[in-house]
């Protein structure tokens, strides 16, 4: 019943399946959008968006990724310990101890404030290795980043100094997945101005990067020397019309109990659902502690035998209840698809995200550690 043909290796029959061949294919799709000299950074932060950081990184590299992006130095070190030698960039802010770890493991850090310069210098002194840095400019995201207009000679002089290996210049778009291209174009112009100013100083670093998944697909003028692709690598659409990428993860469980009940039967904590007709109530061993969000109570569907069925009553920590019409066949041991395809039906991460007013990123990164990941390849 399970996509890998095994049913018992995890004990509890709840698990996520990651088709790493599709990650490689999605990376290769992005690689084809670039010129041969442009680099593809696979963003594998947060354990590869919940897909498994190391497995994802290796698959993306098979598909042509030559850089890896993480949020924390610790995530980069896990990749290094797995024997991965390609350049790794910490995209998020780093604490002094994290900068020291990055220097020790030759992992690039993102910097944007003088406090980090001081921390980096201390780490360089300790480890006797230069700090590999990417200067991040805020061109309109309003998050981390040196305000683009604050870039000046002092920064250039410092980053060209002996303590640093100035590898990159970056920015990040706030609205490249939205309907209005104007904010992205404005950010791009500010970034281009900064690059122009650095050119005048003869101080343009090797890697210039700005684009996430959405910008890479929609704005070829943002590719520069490298793009940073996360979401789409996992086959998740950065905007509804995105094409060319294939879904990667599915999440399954099994029917563990079926009970036929009459109309008027109350279901779950708080009895938020009452049957309106004779119904088969199906128990499935997955709950909010697994990342099957309580916000989906009485709203989400699952697939059993290729058909959609509604999750009813409040989702518990470790269980959900599904209502199956009295006339539909269902039995203990049937596969339950929480995310992914069964026959012609599909439950997408985008669909589940919409049920809680969120985005697909939060659905996949929210599938908890308690759900074992299995890796499928052709
Ligand atoms: C997470 C992240 C990305 C990847 O964004 P996606 O939308 O997942 O492609 C790119 N750049 C930075 C700085 C990030 O933090």
């Amino acid at each position: 019943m399970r996509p890998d043909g095994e049913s018992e290796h995890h004990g509890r029959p709840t698990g996520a399946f990651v088709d790493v061949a599709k990650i490689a294919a999605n990376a290769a799709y992005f690689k084809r959008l670039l010129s041969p000299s442009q680099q593809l950074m696979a963003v594998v932060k947060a354990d590869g968006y919940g897909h498994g950081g190391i497995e994802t990184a290796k698959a993306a590299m098979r598909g042509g990724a030559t850089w890896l992006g993480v949020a924390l130095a610790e995530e980069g070190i896990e990749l290094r310990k797995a024997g991965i030698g390609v350049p790794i960039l910490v995209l998020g802010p780093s604490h002094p101890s994290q900068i020291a770890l990055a220097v020790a493991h030759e992992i690039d850090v993102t910097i944007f404030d003088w406090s980090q310069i001081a921390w980096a210098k201390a780490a360089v002194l300790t480890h006797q290795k230069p700090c590999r840095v990417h200067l991040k400019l805020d061109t309109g995201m309003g998050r981390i980043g040196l305000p683009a207009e604050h870039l000046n000679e002092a920064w250039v002089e410092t980053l060209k100094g002996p303590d640093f290996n100035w590898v990159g210049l970056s920015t990040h778009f706030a609205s490249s997945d939205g309907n209005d291209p104007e904010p992205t174009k404005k950010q791009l112009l500010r970034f281009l101005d900064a690059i122009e100013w650095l050119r005048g100083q003869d101080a343009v670093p090797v890697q210039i990067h700005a684009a996430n998944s959405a910008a890479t697909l929609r704005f070829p003028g943002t590719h520069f020397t490298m793009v940073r692709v996360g979401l789409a690598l996992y086959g998740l659409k950065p905007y509804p019309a995105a094409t060319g990428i294939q879904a990667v993860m599915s999440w399954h469980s099994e029917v563990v109990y079926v009970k036929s009940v009459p109309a008027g039967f109350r279901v779950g904590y708080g009895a938020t659902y009452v049957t309106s007709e004779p119904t088969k109530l199906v128990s499935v061993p997955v709950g909010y502690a697994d990342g099957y969000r309580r916000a989906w109570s009485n709203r989400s569907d699952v697939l059993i035998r290729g058909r959609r069925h509604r999750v009813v009553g409040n989702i518990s920590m470790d269980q959900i209840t599904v209502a199956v019409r009295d006339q539909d066949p269902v039995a203990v041991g049937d596969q339950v698809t929480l995310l992914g395809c069964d026959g012609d039906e599909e439950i997408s991460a985008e669909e589940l995200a919409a049920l809680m007013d969120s985005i697909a990123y939060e659905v996949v990164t929210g599938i908890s550690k308690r759900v074992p990941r299995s890796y499928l390849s052709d």
Side-chain angles (χ1 to χ4, degrees):
M1 289 308 287
R2 308 274 289 257
D4 64 352
E6 290 184 39
S7 60
E8 282 162 345
H9 63 147
H10 292 317
R12 185 175 72 138
T14 300
F17 296 81
V18 178
D19 189 342
V20 287
K22 297 227 170 81
I23 295 179
N26 290 335
Y29 175 78
F30 274 89
K31 194 67 189 137
R32 287 195 296 277
L33 298 179
L34 305 174
S35 71
S37 65
Q38 286 172 320
Q39 310 288 305
L40 172 63
M41 175 190 287
V43 179
V44 299
K45 62 194 179 193
D47 206 22
Y49 291 38
H51 293 65
I54 293 165
E55 301 286 344
T56 295
K58 289 182 173 169
M61 286 160 62
R62 285 197 290 280
T66 48
W67 276 73
L68 298 171
V70 294
L72 321 174
E74 292 88 330
E75 294 174 340
I77 288 163
E78 270 187 41
L79 299 171
R80 285 277 182 263
K81 285 189 174 153
I84 293 173
V86 301
I88 298 173
L89 171 62
V90 176
L91 299 164
S94 293
H95 185 267
S97 64
Q98 293 173 308
I99 293 185
L101 281 175
V103 169
H105 289 84
E106 290 167 33
I107 290 169
D108 299 20
V109 292
T110 296
I111 59 156
F112 41 87
D113 186 65
W114 288 106
S115 59
Q116 295 150 349
I117 294 291
W119 302 338
K121 285 186 172 181
V124 167
L125 201 61
T126 306
H127 295 286
Q128 296 294 309
K129 285 184 193 176
C131 183
R132 294 173 53 95
V133 294
H134 297 236
L135 176 63
K136 178 156 201 167
L137 300 180
D138 183 3
T139 56
M141 173 73 179
R143 200 171 63 174
I144 58 169
L146 175 73
E149 63 276 16
H150 294 184
L151 180 59
N152 59 19
E153 284 88 351
W155 275 100
V156 170
E157 200 178 313
T158 302
L159 296 182
K160 281 183 138 187
D163 292 332
F164 295 97
N165 180 352
W166 188 4
V167 179
L169 179 77
S170 68
T171 194
H172 193 48
F173 297 119
S175 308
S176 57
D177 57 350
N179 291 325
D180 181 4
E182 287 313 312
T184 305
K185 289 182 182 163
K186 277 198 188 122
Q187 283 195 255
L188 180 60
L189 287 178
R190 283 192 204 117
F191 195 50
L192 288 167
D193 275 350
I195 295 167
E196 203 43 50
W197 184 81
L198 285 173
R199 192 160 285 133
Q201 305 283 311
D202 195 22
V204 181
V206 180
Q207 299 299 342
I208 309 279
H209 48 102
N212 60 359
S213 297
T216 304
L217 291 168
R218 282 183 155 172
F219 302 99
T222 65
H223 292 176
F224 296 101
T225 70
M226 178 156 75
V227 298
R228 308 185 302 256
V229 176
L231 192 73
L233 197 60
Y234 307 97
L236 301 169
K237 293 182 174 188
Y239 49 92
T243 55
I245 50 174
Q246 306 174 60
V248 167
M249 197 197 298
S250 61
W251 185 12
H252 303 274
S253 188
E254 249 176 53
V255 173
V256 294
Y257 179 47
V258 182
K259 167 164 54 191
S260 292
V261 303
F265 200 83
R266 296 149 65 89
V267 179
Y269 286 118
T272 59
Y273 182 81
V274 181
T275 56
S276 57
E277 57 185 357
T279 301
K280 288 174 181 152
L281 292 180
V282 167
S283 298
V284 181
V286 66
Y288 59 76
D290 300 297
Y292 202 88
R293 303 305 177 84
R294 194 168 180 279
W296 299 337
S297 299
N298 292 305
R299 308 186 76 186
S300 60
D301 289 338
V302 301
L303 307 178
I304 303 172
R305 300 191 184 200
R307 295 188 63 146
R308 279 178 177 266
H309 303 279
R310 182 57 49 87
V311 171
V312 296
N314 272 335
I315 287 163
S316 299
M317 188 184 293
D318 318 299
Q319 295 178 40
I320 59 174
T321 303
V322 176
V324 173
R325 294 185 312 172
D326 209 31
Q327 64 268 36
D328 289 344
V330 61
V332 169
D334 281 358
Q335 177 178 263
V336 178
T337 298
L338 309 165
L339 172 70
C341 297
D342 182 2
D344 296 334
E345 286 284 357
E346 178 177 10
I347 310 285
S348 67
E350 292 84 358
E351 170 182 336
L352 292 172
L355 296 179
M356 58 176 182
D357 243 331
S358 184
I359 51 180
Y361 300 74
E362 200 181 346
V363 173
V364 290
T365 59
I367 300 175
S368 77
K369 274 216 164 65
R370 199 167 78 172
V371 178
R373 271 61 163 180
S374 301
Y375 297 94
L376 315 172
S377 45
D378 303 326

